[in-house]
Structures are given as C-alpha cells and as structure tokens.
Amino acid sequence: MANVLFTNVRVFDGTGAQPYNADVLIQGNRIARVSRTGPGMSTAGLTVIDGAGATLMPGMCEAHTHFAWNNAASFDDIQRMPTEEHQLWCAHVAKVYLDHGWTSCVGAATAKPRLDVVVRNAIEEGLVKGPRYLAASQEITVAGSLGDETLPHIPYPEYSFGQIVSGPEEMRKCVRMFLKYGVDSIKLNLSGDNFVPFAPAETTWMSDEEVAMAVKEAKVRGKRVSVHARSCESVKQALRHGCEVIYHASFTDEEALDMLEANRDRIFVAPGLSVLIKLLYEGDAIGVSHQKAKEMGYEVELEAAVKSLREMHKRGVRVLPGGDYGFSWAPHGTNAMDLQYFVKYLGMTPMEALVSATRYGGQIMRRPDDLGLVKEGYLADLLLVDGDPLSNLGVLLDRSRLLAIMKDGVFHKTPEVRDARSIRAA
Ligand SMILES: [Zn+2]
C-alpha cells in the first residue's frame, strides 16, 4: 500500500458542500489530509497523482445489489444456473461493480443460500476483486408470493429463488440457517411484484407473526432485516416491525408517509426504479411492449412510486440509489442511471443524488464515521472522475471517465502517474 498524494483535484467531499480545489494525501488505507492550500509537505516517498482538475469523490455505494442476478430476463433463468457456475458469476459481477466505481454494495438478496456470503468472504480474503459487501440471505417468502416458483406438478423448493416458509417456527428455522451461513442481512418479501402475475405489487403476503419472528431472530445476532415492500400495507408492516432497509416503497398513503418520516433516522429506502422505467419505456427489447407493461401494472406503479418517493425525499427520508440491476433490460454496471432517475423523476438536485450515493452509502454500510466522505480519517475509497458529475451525472456511467478507482487505499484502477519532480517542474 503506497502513500498517495492527489494534487490539483476538485474535491466533491460527499457532505453536500460545493466542490473545492485541494490536495488529498492517502496514508495506508485512510485519508490522512485534505489541504486546500497545497500539499505543504515533502512529496518524497509519495506517489503523486496530478489530477489536472479532475474531480476526486468518494466511491459510490449501491444500496440494493443482487450479484446473483445473471442479466437474464426472468427469475427462471437466474434460478436454473447451476450452483458452481452461479458462484463464479457472482465473483465476476463483484468486479464489474468495482470497475464502475461502486466501492460498496449492500446485498439485497441472493439466489441460492450461500452465494452472497461466499463471494463476500472471497473479496475480504483478496481471492476476488469486488466492493465492500454486505451479504444477504435469499428472499424469504410464503407460498404463492414473489419467490415461490414451484408448480403444482413441480413442487420442489429448489426450483424457487426464494425460501418458502409457513408460520413463525419455519421462519425461525430459515432465518437461523442464513445466520449460521454468515449473512449480514435477512431479506423478506412482504409484498408481491408486478413481474409475477399471481402476486402483483399491491398485494401483501406475510403474516405479522412471521415478520416479527424474523426480526427477533436477526436482531439477536445484531443483523438487519431488509424487505421487498411495494404495497402500502407492506411498507407499514416493515416499519411496525423495525425493519431497517425498505426496498421499493412504491405505494404509500398519508399514514405510511408519516411512519416513514417518523423513522427517517433509522431506515433507508432504495426504490430500484430501473425495473419500472425500463419495462415501461424500453421493454420492447425483451418482448414487453408498452401496452403489455401497462397491463402488468407498471404505469400505475411508476406513477405511485414517483409520488411516494418525492414526498419521502421532501420529508428527509434517505432515498438511495441502486436496485435490481442484473436483468437483461438493466445489466450490472449501468447502476449509475439511478442518479439520473432521481433527478428526473424524484426532483432531487444532482448534489442530492450524489450525496445519496456517497454519504448515505457510508450510513447504510453501517460505517457512517468511516465511509462515504472525502474527509481526514475516513477510509480511502475514492474515484478520480474526468469531468464534473454535478453538471453531468452521465460521466459516472462511462467507465473511461473514471480515471482512478481506489478501494481501501489500493488502486483498483491506476491512473497515469507522474513523479513528484515533474509535478514541481510543471
Ligand atoms: Zn431487489
């Protein structure tokens, strides 16, 4: 781990402050110094990176990641991938995230019991390249809901990407299995989803007794519960039971919004808008016409989600980017589209969208004092970006514009290096 000095960079620090010119010193895996008045130190022994006015910003955090989704067009195609290939796929995808500037990812569910924990452990051991990762369980669901892919004549649970439970004791057993495997979070499917005709988005499926048991068991081990909650009732159910991460939250009413606001310092919402937007407007590419998408309920849901999320944002609820990339219509690596969706659909400023990808990212990673800011003492997860993301969020979608990617003080993508002497002479 070399000590690195970034000179001549525009620092977007993630706090919401306007960018400023500074030099930034990295020692080991931490940001040692942010100097607005030049380095004021000897550059001997440092790797000096002349940013030439590029933007230095915190690495981004994807709040709703599925490494196991294999860029296919259906849940079936995900589940049919044999375990060995699937594990390698997850390792491959982990690197894709880091390649695109996502230095942290929050696992939102995996497709077979141990895929997420195995890839997280491999990243931490340095066996594979990838972001900091919080590993998820499979989606835990109930018969007939999202995640139950069994058929009357094919009743095998392995056929489903979810784990199907019935009643609190089965829930306890299932949660304990995932805790034993070492997950960081338990994922519950509280609502249905318009992608599955038998359980649309506005339906709610899990009993309070089942949710309560999952939360109780997860909390015993200090783990969190995240939920797939599109329906209004499922959002309220999640909040009633103390679930911390709410995915989607499309449908709300005044009571749900009040509950979200009352819990805003404790919860995170990651809507995963890409599914709604892509299927509604670009579904033709995978054989879902605009008319068909409307019939599936996507127009109604997008309209509701935009209304709900705009209100949440106004009320100070943390809304984070990421969500359900890894389908054919929104492959892994295109996740930074979410920032543009936040501006276009939710009324965020580009600054707010970037803060949600950085500062809030550190918070959802449970490391608010360590991650998500360019600040002295913070971990050196950094991007050097060619251009100004505040004036064009699109630069974050373009890998070639990410001049350098650093995770934990180590370059994943190394920029062109000029030595200290050439900098002084310049
Ligand atoms: Zn998801």
Side-chain angles (χ1 to χ4, degrees), residues 61 143 147 216 234 376:
C61 175
K216 186 172 131 196
S234 67
E376 290 174 7

Side-chain angles (χ1 to χ4, degrees), residues 91-281:
H92 160 74
V93 167
K95 179 175 174 294
V96 169
Y97 276 78
L98 199 48
D99 289 341
H100 288 82
W102 302 93
T103 52
S104 291
C105 290
V106 179
T110 189
K112 299 187 178 76
R114 294 179 66 247
L115 294 177
D116 248 23
V117 291
V118 170
V119 76
R120 177 203 61 199
N121 294 348
I123 293 168
E124 287 179 2
E125 288 164 20
L127 296 175
V128 301
K129 304 271 188 215
R132 299 178 193 275
Y133 193 58
L134 296 181
S137 70
Q138 277 176 279
E139 303 190 358
I140 303 176
T141 192
V142 298
S145 182
L146 170 69
D148 175 6
E149 301 279 314
T150 59
L151 295 167
H153 63 299
I154 311 177
Y156 309 113
E158 295 80 4
Y159 201 68
S160 286
F161 68 88
Q163 289 276 338
I164 305 155
V165 302
S166 190
E169 279 310 317
E170 280 189 32
M171 176 65 85
R172 188 201 305 266
K173 191 174 177 194
C174 186
V175 169
R176 284 182 172 176
M177 175 188 80
F178 283 116
L179 293 171
K180 169 181 164 178
Y181 291 162
V183 299
D184 297 299
S185 70
I186 295 293
K187 171 73 174 288
L188 306 180
N189 284 355
L190 302 187
S191 81
D193 193 292
N194 285 331
F195 202 64
V196 289
F198 48 84
E202 288 189 76
T203 57
T204 307
W205 290 79
M206 213 169 259
S207 70
D208 277 331
E209 292 76 12
E210 288 162 337
V211 180
M213 179 64 86
V215 172
K216 186 172 131 196
E217 289 296 327
K219 286 195 172 166
V220 166
R221 301 254 61 83
K223 307 300 178 187
R224 69 159 52 127
V225 173
S226 67
V227 295
H228 171 96
R230 293 189 183 273
S231 69
C232 184
E233 175 49 32
S234 67
V235 172
K236 293 180 192 173
Q237 189 179 41
L239 292 163
R240 278 202 307 274
H241 289 283
C243 304
E244 199 178 325
V245 180
I246 300 178
Y247 291 131
H248 310 303
S250 301
F251 295 93
T252 57
D253 59 14
E254 200 55 29
E255 185 190 15
L257 290 166
D258 287 346
M259 289 170 78
L260 285 157
E261 184 177 359
N263 286 283
R264 67 183 182 187
D265 296 330
R266 191 182 62 72
I267 59 157
F268 301 90
V269 173
L273 288 173
S274 79
V275 172
L276 310 182
I277 294 166
K278 288 282 185 174
L279 286 180
L280 195 55
Y281 297 118

Side-chain angles (χ1 to χ4, degrees), residues 64 66 187 324:
H64 180 165
H66 299 289
K187 171 73 174 288
D324 290 333

